[in-house]
Amino acid sequence: MFRKLENGLFHPFLFALYPLIAFYSKNIDHTTFLVPLLTMLGIIPIVFLVIFFLNLITKNNMKSGMMTSVLVILFFTYGHTHSLILDLYEKKYVFKAIFKNLDLGANLEASLHHTLLLGFFFICILAYIFILFLDKGEYRITQVLNAASALLVIMSLLGILFSLATIHRGTLKGNKWEGEKVFASEKRPDIYYIILDGYARSDVLSTYYGFDNTPFTTFLKEKDFYVVDNGYANYTWTFLSLPSSLNYSYINSLKDIVGEKSLDLRIPFEMIKNNHASQFLKSQGYTYVHVNSTWGATLKNRYADFSIGYSKSFFSNEYLRVLSRTTILKCFNSLVDEQLATFYLHAFEELKKIPQMVQPTFTFAHFILPHYPYIFNSKGEVISEITRKRQFANSLWPKKKQYIAQLAFVNKKVEEIIAAILSNSSEKPIIIIQSDHGPKVHTTFDNKQLSEDEFIRARHANFNAIYLPGKGREKLYETLTPVNTFRIIFNEYFNAGLEELEDKIYFSDFKTPYMFREIELSGQQPL
C-alpha cells in the first residue's frame, strides 16, 4: 500500500485538503493560520485510515483510493448542497406573504437533511458498485483524479498568495470599489443602521400601552440624538419597509412587476440584501457589516463584506463552526435548535465591538425585537425558551404587558450599545435607531375596538432617532420618514446630490401586500 502511495495515489489527500485550503483563502483576514493548519494536519491521518480499511475489503489500492475520494467529496459538498437546495426551495415556496410560512424555512433546514442524507447514501452505493466492478482503467482514472485534485489545490494556494498580497497593499480582500469617491471629507464616519422591529412611537406607547418612554428618549436626546416625534413608516410590513428605506425610494412599482395580488416576496427580499445604501457606501470605501437576524430577508447576506452573529454548532472556534456548515457535519448542527435569547444577546454584544474595526464600516442590524415572541422581561431574564422554528407560530400583539417588558429590556441594551459606540469611535459616527413599523394595536385599554384610521396610524407610527455629527442634525425634521433617511445623510456627508422625496405613507394588507393605498394623516400630527 505504501508503495502504491509513493507511485501516485495522492488524490484522496488532495481532495481532502482542497476545501480546507480554499476556505482558508477566503477567510485569511478573519483567522490565524494555526487553526487551519491543525485542521489540515488532522485530516491526513483520517484519510489514510479510510484508505487502509477500504483496502482490506477491496484488496486494491487504487479502487480504495477512488472510494475514499468519493467519501471525501460527498463529505465536503454536503453542506453546500443542502444550502443550495434550501435556498432554491425557500425562494420558490417560503418567500411568500403567507403567515404560516414564516417559520417554514427554519423547519425545512432540519427536515431536508433526511432526504439529502438518503440521496448521498445512494450516490455513495452506486459509486462503490461502479468502482468494485471496474475491470480496467484504474491507473488512468487515478492519474486523472490526481491531476484534477492537484490543480484545485494549486488554484487555492494561489488564492492565498493573492489574498496576502491584497492585504499587504492595505485594501480589503474580495472587494472592488467602483465609482468615483464623492465623500465630503477624508474622515468617513462609521454608519450604523439598527432596526428594532415593531417598536412603537412614544405617543403610541403612551396612548395604547400606558407606558412612558420618556427616560429612553431623554437618554437619546442627552447623547445628541434627534428623536423624530411625528414620523411614520412609509409601508406597513417589514418586507416592504426595509426595501424602501435601504434603497431610499418608494417601491409601489412592485405591484406592476409581480402583480397587484401576488404574494411573492423574492424581489423585495433581494432589494433588502443587495440594497443601494450598502452599494453606495462600498463604492466609497466602506466595509459592509451585516448582523445576522432570525428572519428571512435579513437572516444572512451574501453581499456583506463581514457577517456577525451567533450560530449553533458543536464547535466553539468560529473558523471551525463556519467550516462545519459546509460539510456533512451540518446535519448535526441542525439538530441543535437555536435559542433566540442566545442569538439576540450575542448580537447585542457584537455590535459594541464594531468601532474596533480599522476601516470605515456600514453596519446593518435588524432585531426582531420588541416584536413578539416575547422572550425577555424588563430585567433581561429569559421568560420563554423560543427557537427560530416557532418564533412566529402565533400572533402575540394583544399581549401588551409582555410587549412593554421586552421593549424596556431593548431600551437598556440599545443604551449600552450607543454608549459603547460613542465612547470607542475615533470619529463621531452616524447612528440610526429606527423601527420598520409600529405594533398592531387593535383595542384600547377598555377593549374598545380601534377604528381603521387609528389602527393604521398606530401601525405606521414608527420610532426614529438619528445621531448625526456636525451640521447634519440641522437637516432633520419632526415628520421625517425612512425613505428620506439616507438621502439626507448621503447629501450631507457625501455630496450625493439626491432629491428629497415627499414623505408619504402607503398601507396594505398582509394578504394583498402590493395593493398600496396612500394614507392622508392630516399633516402627520401626533396621536
Side-chain angles (χ1 to χ4, degrees), residues 350-363:
E350 290 299 306
L351 258 180
K352 300 175 184 178
K353 303 175 184 178
I354 302 298
Q356 299 173 13
M357 299 181 72
V358 177
Q359 61 271 31
T361 56
F362 168 56
T363 301

Side-chain angles (χ1 to χ4, degrees), residues 15-27 31 35-43 74-80 83 311-331 333:
F15 277 128
L17 291 174
Y18 161 68
L20 303 178
I21 298 172
F23 187 75
Y24 173 64
S25 70
K26 295 177 181 178
N27 296 274
T31 186
V35 175
L37 178 61
L38 292 176
T39 307
M40 295 175 199
L41 292 176
I43 201 73
L74 291 178
F75 178 85
F76 281 106
T77 58
Y78 181 91
H80 295 291
S83 297
S311 59
K312 53 191 176 181
S313 176
F314 46 79
F315 289 109
S316 58
N317 180 270
E318 178 67 17
Y319 177 87
L320 295 177
R321 180 162 57 242
V322 178
L323 176 63
S324 69
R325 293 203 296 270
T326 69
T327 72
I328 203 168
L329 297 176
K330 185 177 183 181
C331 64
N333 289 341

Side-chain angles (χ1 to χ4, degrees), residues 23 26-32 167 172-175 177 191-192 273 275 278 282 285-293 298-310 318-319 321-322 325 346-347 349-366:
F23 187 75
K26 295 177 181 178
N27 296 274
I28 194 169
D29 53 345
H30 297 154
T31 186
T32 63
I167 294 173
L172 274 173
K173 174 182 69 65
N175 291 324
W177 307 130
I191 301 175
Y192 299 84
K273 294 175 182 290
N275 58 80
S278 62
K282 287 177 72 170
Y286 276 72
T287 295
Y288 178 19
V289 180
H290 181 83
V291 179
N292 296 337
S293 82
T298 56
L299 186 70
K300 55 186 177 181
N301 195 329
R302 66 182 181 276
Y303 300 105
D305 299 308
F306 191 70
S307 297
I308 59 176
Y310 172 81
E318 178 67 17
Y319 177 87
R321 180 162 57 242
V322 178
R325 293 203 296 270
H346 177 82
E349 292 304 312
E350 290 299 306
L351 258 180
K352 300 175 184 178
K353 303 175 184 178
I354 302 298
Q356 299 173 13
M357 299 181 72
V358 177
Q359 61 271 31
T361 56
F362 168 56
T363 301
F364 174 67
H366 174 208

Side-chain angles (χ1 to χ4, degrees), residues 115-363:
T115 304
L116 194 57
L117 284 171
L118 186 63
F120 269 52
F121 175 76
F122 279 114
I123 292 173
C124 188
I125 294 298
L126 291 174
Y128 275 29
I129 292 174
F130 172 80
I131 294 170
L132 280 173
F133 288 94
L134 191 66
D135 290 332
K136 56 183 178 178
E138 294 106 320
Y139 180 78
R140 184 176 295 275
I141 294 174
T142 297
Q143 295 307 307
V144 171
L145 292 175
N146 282 341
S149 59
L151 180 62
L152 290 173
V153 170
I154 291 171
M155 291 174 61
S156 296
L157 291 173
L158 291 175
I160 291 176
L161 293 176
F162 176 78
S163 297
L164 290 171
T166 302
I167 294 173
H168 181 70
R169 290 197 305 268
T171 60
L172 274 173
K173 174 182 69 65
N175 291 324
K176 295 180 180 178
W177 307 130
E178 299 176 354
E180 180 184 359
K181 292 180 173 58
V182 296
F183 45 84
S185 170
E186 288 297 325
K187 295 181 179 180
R188 288 163 289 173
D190 286 343
I191 301 175
Y192 299 84
Y193 189 33
I194 301 173
I195 296 293
L196 304 177
D197 206 300
Y199 196 113
R201 206 173 63 188
S202 294
D203 52 345
V204 172
L205 292 174
S206 176
T207 302
Y208 298 117
Y209 291 85
F211 180 74
D212 182 8
N213 207 26
T214 302
F216 181 55
T217 56
T218 299
F219 167 85
L220 293 172
K221 291 176 181 178
E222 289 176 348
K223 295 293 184 181
D224 209 25
F225 275 76
Y226 184 96
V227 179
V228 181
D229 292 325
N230 301 324
Y232 286 85
N234 299 103
Y235 293 93
T236 316
W237 306 99
T238 306
F239 54 79
L240 299 174
S241 177
L242 291 185
S244 175
S245 63
L246 284 166
N247 293 281
Y248 36 97
S249 62
Y250 291 105
I251 58 172
N252 295 29
S253 60
L254 284 177
K255 68 180 179 182
D256 300 320
I257 300 173
V258 301
E260 194 174 53
K261 296 183 179 180
S262 175
L263 300 176
D264 195 327
L265 303 181
R266 284 176 291 180
I267 292 179
F269 273 34
E270 184 65 17
M271 292 175 68
I272 292 172
K273 294 175 182 290
N274 193 19
N275 58 80
H276 287 173
S278 62
Q279 290 176 16
F280 174 79
L281 289 169
K282 287 177 72 170
S283 75
Q284 307 308 307
Y286 276 72
T287 295
Y288 178 19
V289 180
H290 181 83
V291 179
N292 296 337
S293 82
T294 62
W295 173 75
T298 56
L299 186 70
K300 55 186 177 181
N301 195 329
R302 66 182 181 276
Y303 300 105
D305 299 308
F306 191 70
S307 297
I308 59 176
Y310 172 81
S311 59
K312 53 191 176 181
S313 176
F314 46 79
F315 289 109
S316 58
N317 180 270
E318 178 67 17
Y319 177 87
L320 295 177
R321 180 162 57 242
V322 178
L323 176 63
S324 69
R325 293 203 296 270
T326 69
T327 72
I328 203 168
L329 297 176
K330 185 177 183 181
C331 64
F332 297 105
N333 289 341
S334 295
L335 295 176
V336 183
D337 211 355
E338 197 167 32
Q339 295 293 332
L340 296 186
T342 304
F343 188 98
Y344 292 135
L345 293 173
H346 177 82
F348 283 136
E349 292 304 312
E350 290 299 306
L351 258 180
K352 300 175 184 178
K353 303 175 184 178
I354 302 298
Q356 299 173 13
M357 299 181 72
V358 177
Q359 61 271 31
T361 56
F362 168 56
T363 301

Side-chain angles (χ1 to χ4, degrees), residues 454-474:
E454 290 175 314
F455 170 80
I456 293 174
R457 285 161 65 90
R459 177 67 176 181
H460 280 261
N462 73 319
F463 183 84
N464 197 355
I466 305 175
Y467 178 88
L468 297 182
K471 296 183 179 180
R473 178 187 172 91
E474 299 174 3

